[in-house]
Amino acid sequence: GPKMAIAARRSQVEKVVSSMLPGRWRAHWDLEGDKITFEVRPTMPDMVLHEVEPAAALTHAAYKAFRIPIGPDEDGQIQSWHPAVSPHCLVIGGTGSGKTSFQHTVLTHLAHAHWRVWVLDGKRIEFAGFRDWPNVELVGARVEHQVRMLHAAHELMEQRYSQLENGTARLEDFDPLALIIDEFNRANQDEAFGRLLTLLAPVLARFAVSLGPADYFALMVVAFLTVGALMGTSVPRGLV
């Protein structure tokens, strides 16, 4: 009926059926025919193997047509990432779900397609094996190298924007550059921790000074450890 025209209601019905019946279910809605069909979701593969072959010379036309296959969906259709259309790709998942492995696969496709590749290695060792790969120009493991890499990427972006604005270059003149950032969430947590300490430190310091040197030191240590525990991050790293 008309109520099922609302996507949220259809989603609620599907959730109820999936919770009441064993297995994973999905629905096919025929709103015009006032009909709904439920079926068990197909089993997804545990692993998808990629065969990457070296590509021809990188041209602007090749860049626009370049796609990275991700894997089949529930209907067997290959899903892919098209950087020329959607230049950003966010990989999310729990520990051990294959995020870094997928990034390795993406890097392999990019390198074989003659893209310039820069990597921010959040764990310092996950991309060490790619340091000598063709077209992998930078792998930043140390924090200072990672910061410089991000600044260099921003500087390059601004330089290209300026060239486009003043008419000294066209999009076709630029080589595509892929910036892979591993452990992006960890970097965000460290930044948030640093900002939180910046806000709390003056207030805590004024209160602690009134207690005397010994109590001041003890209170500040306890405060930093407490905030660090709440944020799930490293106190020394946040202080730096």
Side-chain angles (χ1 to χ4, degrees), residues 61-157:
Y63 155 74
K64 295 187 70 174
F66 176 68
R67 293 174 181 265
I68 297 178
I70 299 174
D73 61 16
E74 290 183 334
D75 298 313
Q77 301 296 319
I78 299 298
Q79 299 298 312
S80 60
W81 175 38
H82 193 178
V85 175
S86 180
H88 307 293
C89 178
L90 178 64
V91 184
I92 60 176
T95 301
S97 60
K99 300 185 298 299
T100 301
S101 296
F102 176 72
Q103 292 179 79
H104 289 173
T105 301
V106 169
L107 188 156
T108 301
H109 280 280
L110 292 169
H112 280 77
H114 307 289
W115 282 50
R116 299 171 59 191
V117 181
W118 295 1
V119 183
L120 192 156
D121 191 352
K123 295 180 182 175
R124 301 183 62 175
I125 57 174
E126 295 289 356
F127 292 83
F130 292 98
R131 292 180 182 275
D132 298 327
W133 270 46
N135 302 316
V136 179
E137 299 177 348
L138 299 172
V139 176
R142 299 179 62 84
V143 174
E144 57 269 28
H145 298 162
Q146 296 170 1
V147 172
R148 181 61 190 122
M149 181 190 301
L150 295 178
H151 277 287
H154 181 263
E155 291 168 357
L156 178 61
M157 180 184 68

Side-chain angles (χ1 to χ4, degrees), residues 164-217:
L164 293 173
E165 289 174 346
N166 59 34
T168 58
R170 304 174 302 168
L171 284 175
E172 295 82 357
D173 299 327
F174 301 136
D175 294 329
L177 170 66
L179 177 62
I180 298 176
I181 302 178
D182 191 32
E183 295 296 334
F184 178 75
N185 187 52
R186 176 179 295 179
N188 279 348
Q189 285 183 346
D190 292 342
E191 180 184 1
F193 180 51
R195 291 183 177 180
L196 184 59
L197 286 181
T198 301
L199 293 174
L200 294 180
V203 178
L204 291 172
R206 284 195 296 269
F207 175 71
V209 165
S210 64
L211 301 177
D215 294 332
Y216 166 83
F217 178 78

